[in-house]
């Protein structure tokens, strides 16, 4: 993984490169950013850059022996810890046993989230965790001198899933680190880490990808047409894992569906609302949740528009005119009520309440809110 392979994040890349040039590389760093963002990719690119044998001013060379091994995640001085769970695929209770699967998983895409990893190893609804044995194994490995590179590098993905014992074991290593050893913690829930660990790491804030970066990534790497890519970028909030999942789904015209639903509610057309409820009931649960999520985003944009802050809107152009016109037909109090009702409907659908009943009840309630 090279810096140039990661969309955007220019400020973070430059800060990391400067730290190497000025020899100010902190021994423990926390790459902190949202789920599905560039934290793991940046950690791998940073590790590649540090041990590159023919380092360039702005990136690793990509062709030296170190870069070739890093590109395959087989460099002897790169160690990884990540959450694991008992699996039929692997017989072992440490990350080392899962390492071949981990390499395959990350090389497919570094913009991944924990549920994808647990599905990949067939964890069967078990929760992943990082055990104290992991920290002890790492301590033994890091006690040795580096084999080839300047630094021994340990990447800990999802460190917030360490239990108290494993967190305390890691803390001891961070307090007395071996020479020329770099710890990179990659987290999307840093608030769950022990404050003592946070105080011993240098935080690298990694922002979410913006809409243009997500859209360009989908068009370039997944051959998604521009209009579809922009709609996905609007919906995924910078989460590339979610964007990739949505790109694989059959496209649906959510804007048309939402407009039709709102017009039927506005007219209180019960006959058509029943037909929409039947259609909604026939959808799979993920599609149902996706439509509710889309509705919540548009309601949010309507609230923003009614408050005179239109410059903050991220809504794609084709939806913008609908947001502007719809906002004129409903009061702020009614919009707030609709948001609450959709949130409640989402909760019930997620817990397997009959979707037709939930949607029809929601539609009739929204119709009453229009009258207010």
């Amino acid at each position: 993984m090279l810096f140039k392979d990661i969309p955007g994040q220019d400020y973070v890349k430059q800060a990391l490169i400067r730290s190497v040039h000025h020899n100010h590389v902190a021994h423990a760093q926390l790459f902190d950013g949202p789920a599905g963002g560039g934290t793991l990719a940046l950690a791998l690119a940073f590790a590649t850059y540090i041990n590159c044998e023919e380092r360039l001013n702005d990136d690793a060379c990509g062709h030296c022996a170190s870069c070739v091994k890093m590109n395959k995640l087989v460099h002897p001085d790169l160690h990884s810890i990540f959450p694991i769970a008992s699996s039929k695929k692997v017989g072992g209770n440490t990350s080392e046993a899962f390492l071949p699967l981990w390499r395959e998983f990350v090389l497919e895409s570094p913009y991944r989230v924990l549920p994808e990893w647990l599905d990949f190893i067939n964890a069967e609804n078990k929760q992943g965790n990082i055990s104290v044995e992991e920290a002890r194994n790492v301590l033994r490995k890091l006690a040795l001198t580096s084999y080839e590179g300047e630094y021994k590098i340990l990447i800990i993905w999802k460190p917030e899933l360490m239990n108290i014992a494993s967190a305390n074991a890691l803390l001891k290593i961070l307090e007395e680190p071996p020479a020329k050893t770099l710890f990179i913690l990659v987290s999307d829930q840093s608030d769950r880490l022990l404050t003592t660990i946070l105080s011993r790491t240098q935080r690298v804030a990694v922002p979410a990808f913006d809409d243009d970066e997500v859209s360009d990534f989908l068009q370039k790497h997944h051959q998604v047409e521009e209009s579809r890519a922009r709609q996905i970028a609007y919906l995924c909030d910078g989460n590339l894992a979610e964007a990739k999942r949505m790109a694989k789904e059959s496209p649906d015209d959510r804007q048309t569906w939402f407009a039709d639903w709102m017009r039927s509610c506005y007219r209180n057309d019960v006959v058509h609302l029943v037909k929409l409820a039947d259609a909604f009931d026939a959808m799979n649960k993920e599609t149902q949740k996706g439509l509710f999520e889309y509705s919540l985003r548009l309601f949010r944009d309507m609230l923003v528009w009614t408050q005179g802050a239109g410059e903050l809107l991220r809504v794609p152009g084709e939806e913008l005119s609908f947001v502007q016109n719809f906002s004129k037909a409903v009061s702020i109090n009614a919009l707030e009520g609709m948001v609450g009702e959709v949130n409640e409907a989402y909760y019930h659908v997620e817990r397997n309440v009959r979707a037709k009943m939930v949607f029809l009840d929601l539609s009739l309630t929204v119709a009453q809110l229009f009258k207010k």
Side-chain angles (χ1 to χ4, degrees):
M1 176 60 66
L2 304 179
F3 285 124
K4 67 180 182 182
D5 299 326
I6 304 169
Q9 313 288 357
D10 292 338
Y11 178 81
V12 181
K13 294 174 187 176
Q14 292 166 10
L16 293 172
I17 290 169
R18 278 198 307 272
S19 71
V20 176
H21 287 173
H22 298 159
N23 199 25
H24 287 161
V25 178
H27 81 277
Q29 303 191 33
L30 171 64
F31 282 48
D32 186 11
T39 48
L40 181 58
L42 285 166
L44 293 170
F46 186 43
T48 302
Y49 187 69
I50 282 177
N51 278 340
C52 176
E53 297 168 4
E54 300 176 29
R55 191 184 299 147
L56 306 175
N57 286 332
D58 59 353
D59 211 339
C61 69
H63 56 73
C64 69
S66 175
C67 287
V68 169
K69 292 174 184 176
M70 283 294 302
N71 191 47
K72 298 177 181 178
L73 302 182
V74 295
H75 197 291
D77 294 319
L78 175 68
H79 306 282
S80 300
I81 291 180
F82 39 84
I84 61 171
S86 57
S87 165
K88 293 181 180 179
K89 274 190 175 183
V90 179
N93 58 358
T94 63
S95 295
E96 192 165 359
F98 288 79
L99 201 52
L101 287 176
W102 172 253
R103 289 174 180 144
E104 182 183 350
F105 176 76
V106 174
L107 290 175
E108 181 182 326
S109 172
Y111 313 105
R112 312 300 290 268
V113 291
L114 181 63
E116 289 181 299
W117 167 240
L118 295 177
D119 286 343
F120 191 79
I121 63 175
N122 290 343
E124 298 179 343
N125 295 323
K126 298 184 182 73
Q127 294 185 346
N129 67 83
I130 298 175
S131 68
V132 66
E133 188 62 28
E134 296 276 20
R136 292 170 181 163
N137 284 342
V138 166
L139 186 58
R140 287 192 288 269
K141 290 179 181 178
L142 297 183
L144 304 172
T145 57
S146 59
Y147 288 92
E148 297 178 8
E150 181 181 0
Y151 279 86
K152 294 167 290 182
I153 301 172
L154 171 65
I155 294 178
I156 306 177
W157 187 60
K158 300 289 291 180
E160 61 269 20
L161 295 182
M162 293 185 293
N163 57 36
I164 294 297
S166 55
N168 285 330
L170 175 64
L171 185 60
K172 292 178 181 177
I173 305 173
L174 295 180
E175 288 174 340
E176 300 178 6
K180 287 294 183 179
T181 301
L182 175 61
F183 298 88
I184 304 179
L185 283 63
V186 179
S187 175
D188 55 45
Q189 293 178 304
S190 60
D191 57 311
R192 295 176 56 187
L193 287 169
L194 293 179
T195 54
T196 46
I197 288 180
L198 291 174
S199 66
R200 286 165 176 77
T201 57
Q202 176 179 289
R203 181 174 178 266
V204 178
V206 180
F209 295 112
D210 64 34
D211 289 354
D212 288 337
E213 290 164 353
V214 174
S215 177
D216 292 344
F217 181 87
L218 292 175
Q219 292 177 66
K220 180 178 179 181
H221 297 282
H222 297 277
Q223 290 71 55
V224 179
E225 62 178 19
E226 183 178 0
S227 60
R228 169 78 173 147
R230 289 199 169 277
Q231 186 181 61
I232 291 174
Y234 168 66
L235 293 170
C236 76
D237 272 344
N239 185 329
L240 274 188
E242 179 68 9
K244 290 179 62 179
R245 183 191 67 77
M246 295 176 67
K248 292 177 183 177
E249 295 178 345
S250 56
D252 51 32
D253 193 347
R254 299 184 183 189
Q255 193 272 333
T256 300
W257 175 88
F258 181 81
D260 184 32
W261 179 40
M262 287 295 103
R263 291 188 183 107
S264 299
C265 291
Y266 183 77
R267 296 192 303 266
N268 200 17
D269 187 347
V270 176
V271 174
H272 190 57
L273 288 175
V274 171
K275 292 180 180 178
L276 287 176
D278 287 332
F280 187 82
D281 193 55
M283 300 173 185
N284 63 55
K285 185 184 291 187
E286 290 304 315
T287 301
Q288 294 167 350
K289 289 162 60 178
L291 290 173
F292 281 156
E293 289 167 358
Y294 179 78
S295 303
L296 288 169
R297 290 177 187 278
L298 283 189
F299 284 140
R300 177 200 64 192
D301 287 337
M302 292 170 195
L303 286 168
V304 171
W305 178 261
T306 57
Q307 295 300 311
E311 67 277 3
L312 299 178
L313 293 182
R314 294 173 42 246
V315 61
E318 55 268 26
E319 279 104 334
L320 181 58
S321 59
F322 179 82
V323 166
Q324 293 169 341
N325 293 328
F326 186 92
S327 302
K328 300 173 184 177
V330 60
S331 68
I332 292 177
N333 289 337
L335 273 175
E336 292 175 348
M338 291 175 188
V339 169
E341 293 296 332
V342 174
N343 270 320
E344 186 174 351
Y346 186 101
Y347 173 88
H348 289 305
V349 165
E350 199 171 34
R351 281 150 184 80
N352 297 318
V353 179
R354 178 68 184 271
K356 178 179 179 179
M357 180 178 67
V358 171
F359 184 80
L360 185 57
D361 178 71
L362 170 64
S363 300
L364 295 175
T365 304
V366 170
Q368 293 302 311
L369 288 170
F370 269 117
K371 294 180 180 179
K372 296 181 180 180

